[in-house]
């Protein structure tokens, strides 16, 4: 039996080869077959064209989702069954851009090369001053939940798997410490992906009654984690909600009858999507519908992908004298906190033999401005926390008792801050 060969396309973002297998005699998988035309060594299909019945078979992006492709000759059939095709009837919980910010607040992104030294140093100075005035306090609460204890101790776990398990364990531990894991609750994971966070939360709540798990994502996924729950003895009700969080009316989702509380959760919902999710929760809470929003736990990340239009913390920024242009530049500076230790992430065999020093096109500028790597990392962290503090202020004004926490150590992930909010109890 001929052994299947791994796709030879190098995924630059992940610094490794694509892990898909290829057809016998081919070099690339279906998604990367277009790259054959740039290869000097041709195989039988390396022109990306297959002649069959006199027709050229080109691969083209799917019109519904450009992240995948199909043969042009199969396009009509693919569009009829593609999981990303738009629904013929819009669900009641979908209202386009209901959670988006005003269009007139759209601000173009800036590049560090386009910012003068004076403007850069001025913003850094104001960020330092505002950070001290606000006096942001974040407590460390690193917990472990027994539902994940055995899995974390597995000796065959790789570093990436262990990293995510530690994050999930601490987040679920925090939820339990805040009394957010209880009977008659619907847990809504926003930006769920394959649903690994919900998978472990369902294990933690398997002895509770009348709990539902709703996983919200804009795309469908193969190998969804919730499919394994029944085989592992967890019989909780799980529903999938296909929606962009910016379009979601959470109060109109049909939860299980008898559900009294809703607890939105997310793990690393990138940038602007976090702001859309927070506005989604607040809009649902202000609608006064049942079940009530009990609280939320969100692990924060990717501040460089935030957008002023959708940002929920505008009021705080305006009160402390930070403009939309300041915010946009801060979204550039936040990457200083998570850019690592200055070494290339490429494997050693792919690094150039000479010039092993830090590969940074801005190095001369940083040296001139006395911005060492340590100083830049500290500035980046302060920019991130000011953005997060804007979110805290938004939730506090909306009736949620809110705080930021370090939920894991930095050696687990540099994105180690989570947002915890509990709905304030109203007195009769």
């Amino acid at each position: 039996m001929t052994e299947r060969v791994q796709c030879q396309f190098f995924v630059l973002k992940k610094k490794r080869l694509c892990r898909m297998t290829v057809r016998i005699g081919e070099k690339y998988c279906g998604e990367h077959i277009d790259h054959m035309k740039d290869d000097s060594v041709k195989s039988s299909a390396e022109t990306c064209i297959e002649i069959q019945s006199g027709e050229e078979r080109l691969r083209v992006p799917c019109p519904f989702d450009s992240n995948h492709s199909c043969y042009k000759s199969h396009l009509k059939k693919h569009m009829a069954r593609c999981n990303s095709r738009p629904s013929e009837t819009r669900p009641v919980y979908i209202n386009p851009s209901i959670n988006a910010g005003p269009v007139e607040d759209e601000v173009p992104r800036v590049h560090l090369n386009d910012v003068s030294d004076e403007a850069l140093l001025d913003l850094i100075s104001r960020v330092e001053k505002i950070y001290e005035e606000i006096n942001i306090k974040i407590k460390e609460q690193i917990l472990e939940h027994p539902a994940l204890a055995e899995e974390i101790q597995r000796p065959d776990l790789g570093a990436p798997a262990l990293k995510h398990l530690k994050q999930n364990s601490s987040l679920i531990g925090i939820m339990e410490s805040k009394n957010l894991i209880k009977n008659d609750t619907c847990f809504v994971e926003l930006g769920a992906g394959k649903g690994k966070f919900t998978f472990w939360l369902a294990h933690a709540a398997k002895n509770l009654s009348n709990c539902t798990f709703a996983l919200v994502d804009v795309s469908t996924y193969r190998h969804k984690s919730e499919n394994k729950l029944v085989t592992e003895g967890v019989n909780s009700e799980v529903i999938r909600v296909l929606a962009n969080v910016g379009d979601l009316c959470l109060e109109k989702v049909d939860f299980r009858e008898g559900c009294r509380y809703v607890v939105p959760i997310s793990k690393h919902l990138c940038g602007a999507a976090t702001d859309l999710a927070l506005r989604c929760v607040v809009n649902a809470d202000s609608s006064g519908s049942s079940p009530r929003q009990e609280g939320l736990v969100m692990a924060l990340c990717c501040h460089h992908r935030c957008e002023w239009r959708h940002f929920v913390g505008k009021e705080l920024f305006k009160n402390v004298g930070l403009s939309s242009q300041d915010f946009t530049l801060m979204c550039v500076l936040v990457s200083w906190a998570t850019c690592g230790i200055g070494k290339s992430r490429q494997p050693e065999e792919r690094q150039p033999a000479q010039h092993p020093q830090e590969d940074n096109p801005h190095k001369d500028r940083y040296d001139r401005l006395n911005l060492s790597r340590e100083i830049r990392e500290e500035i980046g962290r302060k920019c991130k926390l000011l953005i997060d503090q804007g979110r805290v202020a938004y939730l506090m004004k909306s009736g949620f008792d809110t705080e930021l926490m370090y939920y894991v150590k930095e050696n687990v992930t540099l994105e180690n801050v989570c947002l915890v909010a509990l709905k304030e109890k109203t007195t009769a």
Side-chain angles (χ1 to χ4, degrees):
M1 181 176 176
T2 305
E3 185 178 352
R4 291 274 182 174
V5 180
Q6 180 180 357
C7 175
Q8 296 302 296
F9 177 78
F10 186 73
V11 185
L12 189 61
K13 182 178 179 182
K14 297 185 177 180
K15 309 298 181 188
R16 61 166 173 77
L17 294 176
C18 169
R19 289 177 178 162
M20 295 292 288
T21 56
V22 302
R23 294 169 60 184
I24 296 173
E26 304 300 343
K27 190 174 180 180
Y28 297 94
C29 68
E31 290 304 309
H32 298 126
I33 198 169
D34 286 343
H35 295 271
M36 291 179 176
K37 60 187 176 183
D38 297 325
D39 200 308
S40 57
V41 181
K42 303 288 184 181
S43 71
S44 60
E46 289 193 22
T47 56
C48 315
I49 300 173
E50 184 179 337
I51 306 297
Q52 190 176 65
S53 303
E55 182 184 4
E56 293 184 344
R57 299 184 72 207
L58 294 169
R59 290 193 75 86
V60 295
C62 170
F64 300 135
D65 182 1
S66 60
N67 288 326
H68 66 271
S69 63
C70 68
Y71 284 115
K72 187 176 181 180
S73 57
H74 293 171
L75 183 59
K76 186 175 181 180
K77 183 186 294 186
H78 172 82
M79 290 174 66
R81 64 187 183 188
C82 177
N83 288 329
S84 297
R85 69 187 185 278
S87 175
E88 294 180 2
T89 58
R90 182 183 296 163
V92 66
Y93 52 77
I94 296 295
N95 187 344
S97 299
I98 185 66
N99 301 316
V103 177
E104 56 269 22
D105 282 355
E106 197 80 57
V107 178
R109 293 190 176 275
V110 298
H111 299 280
L112 204 55
N113 286 337
D114 300 327
V115 180
S116 68
D117 291 351
E118 293 75 15
L120 177 60
L121 292 175
D122 175 66
L123 179 61
I124 290 173
S125 174
R126 286 187 289 129
V127 165
E128 298 268 16
K129 181 181 177 182
I130 293 168
Y131 185 87
E132 294 300 323
E133 290 176 349
I134 293 179
N135 192 24
I136 300 173
K137 295 187 182 298
I138 307 180
K139 71 177 182 180
E140 182 178 272
Q141 188 161 5
I142 300 173
L143 303 178
E144 294 182 1
H145 196 279
L148 290 86
E150 184 178 346
E151 185 73 10
I152 287 177
Q153 296 303 318
R154 279 177 46 189
D156 59 329
L157 282 177
L162 183 60
K163 174 182 74 171
H164 289 293
L165 284 170
K166 287 181 177 179
Q167 292 177 63
N168 289 334
S169 181
S170 185
L171 290 170
I172 294 171
I174 290 171
M175 291 178 66
E176 188 165 78
S177 72
K178 298 296 183 181
N179 195 32
L180 291 175
I181 302 179
K182 54 188 175 183
N183 296 329
D184 306 322
T185 302
C186 181
F187 302 94
V188 183
E189 184 175 1
L190 301 165
K194 294 183 179 180
K196 204 66 175 181
F197 186 14
T198 290
F199 173 83
W200 288 112
L201 179 57
H203 273 278
K206 66 180 180 180
N207 295 324
L208 299 180
S209 62
N210 199 36
C211 286
T212 305
F213 299 87
L215 295 94
V216 179
D217 205 284
V218 70
S219 302
T220 56
Y221 290 84
R222 297 177 182 177
H223 312 300
K224 294 184 279 288
S225 297
E226 66 266 24
N227 294 340
K228 305 173 186 176
L229 286 173
V230 174
T231 60
E232 297 191 10
V234 181
N235 297 311
S236 302
E237 180 181 357
V238 180
I239 60 174
R240 279 269 173 180
V241 178
L242 192 62
N244 186 315
V245 69
D247 305 331
L248 178 65
C249 297
L250 191 57
E251 70 277 9
K252 295 183 180 179
V253 176
D254 187 16
F255 297 122
R256 172 188 259 181
E257 187 176 351
C259 174
R260 298 171 58 196
Y261 314 107
V262 174
V263 178
I265 59 175
S266 72
K267 178 167 170 276
H268 300 321
L269 193 58
C270 292
T274 296
D275 295 298
L276 294 172
L278 293 176
R279 195 175 280 114
C280 173
V281 173
V282 170
N283 287 345
D285 180 66
S286 61
S287 70
S289 60
S290 181
R292 71 172 248 137
Q293 304 293 316
E294 187 72 356
L296 62 89
V297 174
M298 294 185 177
L300 306 170
C301 81
C302 299
H303 297 72
H304 64 283
R305 299 184 65 179
C306 292
E307 300 175 23
W308 179 253
R309 174 189 172 185
H310 304 304
F311 182 49
V312 296
K314 293 174 187 171
E315 183 173 344
L316 174 70
F317 267 51
K318 291 175 180 177
N319 288 341
V320 298
L322 291 171
S323 67
S324 58
Q325 287 75 23
D326 294 331
F327 173 86
T328 307
L329 181 52
M330 287 172 66
C331 290
V332 177
L333 302 188
V334 294
S335 62
W336 287 352
T338 54
C339 60
I341 59 174
K343 295 180 181 178
S344 173
R345 293 177 62 190
Q346 294 186 14
E348 289 185 7
E349 64 272 15
R350 294 184 178 274
Q351 292 185 31
Q354 64 266 21
H355 306 301
Q357 296 90 353
E358 180 179 349
D359 182 18
N360 193 326
H362 304 292
K363 188 175 186 305
D364 290 342
R365 185 185 192 186
Y366 295 152
D367 290 344
R368 187 177 69 252
L369 300 177
N370 294 319
L371 294 173
S372 65
R373 189 178 68 241
E374 292 75 14
I375 292 175
R376 298 199 307 273
E377 287 180 357
E378 185 62 23
I379 293 167
R381 277 192 289 269
K382 289 178 178 179
C383 288
K384 284 160 61 74
L385 292 175
L386 281 175
I387 291 172
D388 292 337
Q389 192 63 30
R391 292 163 168 167
V392 169
Y394 171 77
L395 288 173
M396 294 282 281
K397 185 177 180 180
S398 303
F400 289 83
D401 185 9
T402 312
E403 60 184 324
L404 298 171
M405 295 180 180
Y406 291 116
Y407 71 100
V408 288
K409 296 288 188 181
E410 281 192 353
N411 61 0
V412 176
T413 175
L414 293 173
E415 301 281 16
N416 64 335
V417 175
C418 72
L419 183 68
V420 180
L422 302 175
K423 183 62 181 176
E424 294 174 353
K425 300 294 189 294
T426 55
T427 55

